[in-house]
Amino acid sequence: MTSDTKILLSESELPRNWYNLVPDLPSPPPPVLHPGTLQPVGPDDLAPLFPMALIEQEVTAERYVPIPAEVLEVYRLWRPSPLFRAHRLEKALGTPAKIYYKYEGVSPAGSHKPNTAVPQAFYNAQAGIRRLTTETGAGQWGTALAFAGAQYGLDVEIWQVRASYEQKPYRKMMIETFGGTIHPSPSELTAAGRKILAEHPDSPGSLGIAISEAVEVAAQNPDTNYALGSVLNHVLLHQTIIGEEALLQLAKVGATPDVIVGCTGGGSNFGGLAFPFLREKLAGRMDPVIRAVEPASCPSLTRGVYAYDFGDTAGMTPLMKMHTLGHDFIPDPIHAGGLRYHGMSPLISHVYELGLMEAVAKTQKECFEAGVTFARTEGIIPAPEPTHALAACIEEALRCKESGEEKVILTALCGHGHLDLPAYGRFLAGEMDDHALSQDAVAAAVANLPAVPA
Ligand SMILES: *Cc1c(COP(=O)(O)O)cnc(C)c1O
């Protein structure tokens, strides 16, 4: 067996900085706007929700942001995470391509989410905050924040999309074990939730609705802040630890990626892996193709519009220019709950507009097929979200088989699927459906965007 099967870094090689892509881009992303005045938001607008340290990171012009010692200490519980070469998958596919995957399932939550949950909890605790509110879809983010809150003595209150709350009871148990409190969303606890329930008593919920509920509670309580698990610049910043480690690991085996593939919900694991490599690309040191993979049921990059929109359903957040399907779009209940968000990180959307990356959409059966192939060869059952990236890796590897190219493919296996086994059960029993999203549905969804003069 070759020695690049599992590439590890020592504790002393753990990166000490997060990387901010913005100063290296040819132009900065458009500003975030206040929904009332339509003027760029300032720190004071965000202060009811976020601690100043995170607001500063959201807009920083520094290329590198030092990781606090108190955060590094918690990161060391699972970081540096391993980089694997998928020898067995390559062999099964008969491809000359080399496939590497950065495995984030070794974290306490089983995904990449603690990479940002931990610093977010740390900065809030440091600012004297007592409680954090948040939304969660499949439950990965809620689990990560509950764990992170426990590290720094914060209460964590979570609104989980009702469809997932009912389908995935183990996430609730995990969150409660870590000390968090969890409610199904929409709930009777907030005005936003009550309004939705009055109109749609059986609403399955959405990430946009759950965000409205969590933001409402944080905005009304001075000792409470809100934490977001994706989309925002500071979240992507924290996730760059993934790509910084992967760069060091690939260097150890002398490999340079030709293709980088990642799944995109709000864009944080994808940006976290890809941005350090994009820095290298912009500096002319390598030239990988960078490819996002989104679900065909929620295709914000490939079929959404690039426009100012709200981050939540009720329209309480600032307006962000992003690829969006419209803030009241409710995607079909696919199993990759973490990819069911109507928008896309403004920074990723901007990078996409600049032509520095590409995007494709995949239907869920093809993704689960890839997930099963991966499990049988590599021995890890992937979360439904990264099966999208794996399906695109396999597609690329099979193209290499046709052409004989020995491309190096890199992806983030951003979580394991141990709490998503019922979805695999449905797939294996032949009970999974692919949902076609009609052009009419897309057009109707984007008809309701807020009016922002150009
Ligand atoms: C939350 C989550 C996602 C989607 O979020 P991104 O911000 O796009 O990374 C993807 N995969 C897993 C395992 C998740 O938990």
Side-chain angles (χ1 to χ4, degrees), residues 159 184-200 203 205-217 220 312-317:
W159 277 261
S185 166
S187 75
E188 295 284 352
L189 299 166
T190 66
R194 287 189 295 271
K195 181 161 180 284
I196 301 271
L197 286 175
E199 291 164 18
H200 308 282
S203 170
S206 71
L207 279 171
I209 296 169
I211 293 172
S212 296
E213 296 202 87
V215 166
E216 182 182 320
V217 172
Q220 287 169 356
D312 71 320
T313 302
M316 290 191 292
T317 69

Side-chain angles (χ1 to χ4, degrees), residues 175-398:
I175 285 167
E176 289 174 344
T177 303
F178 282 143
T181 308
I182 181 163
H183 316 288
S185 166
S187 75
E188 295 284 352
L189 299 166
T190 66
R194 287 189 295 271
K195 181 161 180 284
I196 301 271
L197 286 175
E199 291 164 18
H200 308 282
D202 299 326
S203 170
S206 71
L207 279 171
I209 296 169
I211 293 172
S212 296
E213 296 202 87
V215 166
E216 182 182 320
V217 172
Q220 287 169 356
N221 294 281
D223 69 346
T224 304
N225 269 351
Y226 167 70
L228 188 60
S230 186
V231 178
L232 298 180
N233 294 350
H234 68 265
V235 179
L236 273 64
L237 174 81
H238 301 153
Q239 293 295 356
T240 58
I241 186 92
I242 303 173
E244 292 290 19
E245 286 181 5
L247 263 171
L248 298 175
Q249 286 162 310
L250 284 177
K252 281 191 187 243
V253 293
T256 309
D258 298 300
V259 186
I260 299 173
V261 180
C263 67
T264 45
S268 74
N269 88 84
F270 173 78
L273 176 70
F275 285 178
F277 289 90
L278 186 50
R279 171 188 67 216
E280 301 303 303
K281 181 179 167 115
L282 289 164
R285 289 188 284 265
M286 56 176 73
D287 193 22
V289 168
I290 299 175
R291 185 175 299 143
V293 191
E294 56 186 14
S297 299
C298 196
S300 52
L301 284 170
T302 53
R303 293 178 71 188
V305 293
Y306 184 50
Y308 273 103
D309 196 7
F310 294 106
D312 71 320
T313 302
M316 290 191 292
T317 69
L319 294 169
M320 296 176 286
K321 188 151 189 192
M322 60 181 174
H323 277 267
T324 179
L325 293 159
H327 56 279
D328 44 18
F329 178 73
I330 299 196
D332 281 314
I334 53 165
H335 291 280
L339 305 184
R340 292 179 70 239
Y341 182 61
H342 67 270
M344 179 52 59
S345 142
L347 189 49
I348 300 254
S349 298
H350 179 62
V351 167
Y352 186 57
E353 286 299 307
L354 289 171
L356 297 171
M357 57 173 275
E358 52 187 58
V360 295
K362 298 247 167 243
T363 49
Q364 67 175 349
K365 281 200 281 190
E366 179 187 350
C367 297
F368 272 88
E369 186 78 56
V372 168
T373 301
F374 188 85
R376 289 179 187 172
T377 50
E378 294 297 314
I380 300 172
I381 299 178
E385 292 84 3
T387 64
H388 290 71
L390 293 171
C393 282
I394 289 175
E395 185 176 52
E396 185 69 39
L398 292 177

